[in-house]
Amino acid sequence: MAFDLGAHLRALRTRLGAGGGRLLILTHDNPDPDSLAAALGLRKLLEANEIRSVIALGGIIGRAENRAMVRELKLDLVPFAQLDLDQFAGFALVDTQPGTGNNSLPADRKCDIVIDHHPLRATTPAVPWRDIRPEVGATATIVYNYLKEAGIALDAQLITAFLYALKSETRDLGREAGNQERDAYIELMREADFARLHAISNPKLGREHFVAVDRALRAAVCWSELLAINLGALDYPDLVAEVADLMLPYDKARWVLCVGQHHNIVYLSMRTDRSNGSAGSLIRRVVGARGAAGGHGMVAGGRLFAEVRDDEALKTVYDDLVARLCGELKISAAPTPLL
């Protein structure tokens, strides 16, 4: 059945009440450009329909490009810890879903809106406005098409946010991009602020980036077509994804697993160059009930629930994750250091 945007907007206004109560928009924690652009677009849509909303930030924004996006586009994000949830009449999740373990929405708060391009989770069908499209390459694509359908004009800030989200999420349309991403990309290119786009795409990098790259090169180990890296302590959680992206071009690697810990929490990121890799379902099998994980065909990530407090404990966890992944991939080759 086709998604009826107008009907969902009318029903949302009814749920929020005659007083026009505010809606809180949440991305996944430590948000990426896709989730940020989707949240910004949803706020624009709601604003055009006289619904007030606030975008909350759960976790931190660590990756240099993502910090540059927030800075250059002057994104107004309110730290989740500073908010009184009782001041909001409703809640929305973008690029994440209830019960995934990667967002800050408390379990006792009901969601009014869920917009996502990850596979449907068991708790999501109870949400009144749910739009889950795993066949789409980015959540920002879904929200961009909402705005087009509603005939809402976009300013340069939002156009540039959408374009960078598509560039980042699909690697310039080379990863999990479909016709909707290609159409949006062409349309957005006509009016984007390219000076800001360049500043976002090419930020200055902090020392922690180069420390992590050095550590990754020294720690990387090959198990046949799997390249695995224990990064140790992380300056920010996004480093596992950042390093995984950097290491996938290695010519012998078809899979990359990067693991590290930030504030005693273990984070992991997986990448593959196989378009049919089903990385999201694979990482969920590897993590199992020990954590929260998910993703798409070529990109996946997650975190573990149990805390680790030293390098020895992290190594034990890392070794177990690598062994599980080798089992799933049916890899029996002996490990060989990259360098």
Side-chain angles (χ1 to χ4, degrees), residues 223 226 228-229 257 286 317-327:
W223 277 263
L226 168 65
I229 304 144
L257 175 69
V286 169
V317 170
Y318 165 78
D319 288 344
D320 180 63
L321 290 169
V322 171
R324 287 170 178 264
L325 183 54
C326 284

Side-chain angles (χ1 to χ4, degrees), residues 71-223:
R71 181 180 65 251
E72 292 293 329
L73 300 181
K74 298 179 172 58
L75 303 189
D76 182 18
L77 309 174
V78 181
F80 181 81
Q82 296 179 10
L83 295 168
D84 177 0
L85 298 190
D86 291 334
Q87 299 300 309
F88 294 92
F91 300 90
L93 290 175
V94 293
D95 207 30
T96 182
Q97 296 178 48
T100 56
N102 70 342
N103 62 68
S104 295
L105 184 69
D108 63 347
R109 299 283 177 165
K110 291 185 178 179
C111 218
D112 294 89
I113 303 174
V114 174
I115 305 166
D116 194 14
H117 72 133
H118 297 92
L120 181 71
R121 293 298 185 102
T123 52
T124 303
V127 177
W129 174 336
R130 59 190 178 278
D131 195 356
I132 311 301
R133 307 188 198 185
E135 74 281 4
V136 172
T139 301
T141 305
I142 303 172
V143 179
Y144 173 67
N145 285 327
Y146 285 171
L147 293 166
K148 281 183 59 180
E149 180 183 338
I152 297 171
L154 309 186
D155 57 21
Q157 177 208 39
L158 191 48
I159 289 170
T160 307
F162 276 132
L163 182 56
Y164 184 67
L166 295 183
K167 285 174 66 66
S168 173
E169 190 73 6
T170 70
R171 297 302 230 177
D172 285 310
L173 303 182
R175 182 177 71 188
E176 300 178 357
N179 290 334
Q180 292 187 60
E181 279 73 42
R182 295 185 184 96
D183 291 345
Y185 200 97
I186 293 168
E187 293 163 6
L188 292 163
M189 285 279 285
R190 299 189 184 110
E191 298 184 67
D193 184 331
F194 284 96
R196 292 186 186 278
L197 191 64
H198 177 79
I200 295 168
S201 303
N202 300 278
K204 285 290 189 180
L205 299 169
R207 179 178 179 274
E208 66 273 8
H209 170 86
F210 298 99
V211 169
V213 171
D214 176 72
R215 190 185 306 157
L217 291 171
R218 294 172 187 273
V221 177
C222 300
W223 277 263

Side-chain angles (χ1 to χ4, degrees), residues 5-87:
L5 178 61
H8 279 293
L9 283 165
R10 290 190 295 273
L12 177 64
R13 282 195 294 267
T14 299
R15 288 197 302 278
L16 294 179
R22 291 188 305 166
L23 190 86
L24 182 64
I25 302 172
L26 282 161
T27 66
H28 55 74
D29 292 340
N30 313 309
D32 62 3
D34 184 33
S35 58
L36 291 171
L40 197 65
L42 179 58
R43 185 174 68 181
K44 180 73 171 179
L45 175 69
L46 297 176
E47 178 185 274
N49 285 272
E50 300 181 337
I51 299 171
R52 296 174 297 147
S53 62
V54 171
I55 302 174
L57 170 63
I60 63 174
I61 298 177
R63 195 164 182 163
E65 295 94 324
N66 300 352
R67 294 199 307 269
M69 180 181 181
V70 172
R71 181 180 65 251
E72 292 293 329
L73 300 181
K74 298 179 172 58
L75 303 189
D76 182 18
L77 309 174
V78 181
F80 181 81
Q82 296 179 10
L83 295 168
D84 177 0
L85 298 190
D86 291 334
Q87 299 300 309

Side-chain angles (χ1 to χ4, degrees), residues 245-262:
D245 286 332
L246 286 172
M247 301 300 280
L248 185 59
Y250 174 52
D251 64 356
K252 300 293 193 300
R254 306 304 302 274
W255 296 87
V256 172
L257 175 69
C258 190
V259 179
Q261 68 88 8
H262 178 73

